[in-house]
Amino acid sequence: MEGKTRPAATAAEALQRMDRYVALGIVGQHHVAQKLGLSVTDLTCLGFILEAGDEPLTAGDLAQRANVTTGAITGVLNRLERAGYATRRPDPSDRRRVRVVADATALAPVVALYAPFYQRLDALFADYTPDEIAVLTDWFTRAAGEARDHLAKLREMTTD
């Protein structure tokens, strides 16, 4: 597959487009969360639970991925369980820990809300070569690391 010619762009223009995409994503997450009767944090955590697939996350792993405290994760898991989206199961290798799994039967509304958008994104990715997708993947991975580091620094700041 040969890549398409892309318009030239500066880093500043790319950041501006990223800001627009992130802003739309935030609004979209709020809308989806409302439709599912969840908070955005709960929805974000549900996404990480689904992403884990056959390797269920521990509550601590989930807290780390979502960048929230383990105390906050307890509340998230309580709400996800009450809503029927996830359950906690004892970790087979360490009974003191729990693993979190999605309830497959309760996920139909989640899939129904996201599937059309993901189909559109799949079609968009079809316009890019494997090398271009590799660059995008690398950039998103590294940008997420930078965002995580920045968030940690923000949390360390004290207000006077």
Side-chain angles (χ1 to χ4, degrees):
M1 173 184 202
E2 190 174 312
K4 294 183 176 184
T5 303
R6 312 274 179 215
T10 65
E13 290 168 327
L15 284 171
Q16 182 186 53
R17 300 313 190 285
M18 180 197 69
D19 284 344
R20 288 180 191 172
Y21 181 77
V22 169
L24 280 169
I26 290 168
V27 171
Q29 287 295 84
H30 278 279
H31 189 72
V32 170
Q34 274 186 323
K35 285 194 167 293
L36 296 172
L38 299 172
S39 72
V40 172
T41 300
D42 296 349
L43 179 62
T44 299
C45 290
L46 180 57
F48 287 125
I49 293 166
L50 294 171
E51 181 184 273
D54 293 337
E55 295 293 325
L57 299 173
T58 66
D61 293 337
L62 184 56
Q64 183 179 18
R65 288 185 190 190
N67 284 291
V68 298
T69 65
T70 53
I73 281 297
T74 299
V76 168
L77 294 178
N78 289 342
R79 290 186 297 275
L80 289 175
E81 280 187 317
R82 263 194 314 273
Y85 292 113
T87 58
R88 288 176 261 211
R89 295 186 182 153
D91 186 318
S93 62
D94 182 349
R95 293 282 183 194
R96 295 169 295 177
R97 294 183 350 182
V98 296
R99 298 242 174 214
V100 185
V101 294
D103 184 321
T105 59
L107 295 178
V110 179
V111 172
L113 291 171
Y114 279 104
F117 179 55
Y118 276 54
Q119 289 168 353
R120 292 175 75 134
L121 291 179
D122 283 343
L124 185 61
F125 276 123
D127 283 345
Y128 292 86
T129 67
D131 286 343
E132 289 172 323
I133 292 172
V135 169
L136 290 169
T137 302
D138 176 66
W139 191 90
F140 280 116
T141 301
R142 292 172 60 197
E146 295 298 328
R148 218 175 274 106
D149 290 348
H150 183 67
L151 180 57
K153 286 179 177 56
L154 289 174
R155 287 183 172 151
E156 291 171 2
M157 291 176 150
T158 57
T159 56
D160 296 330

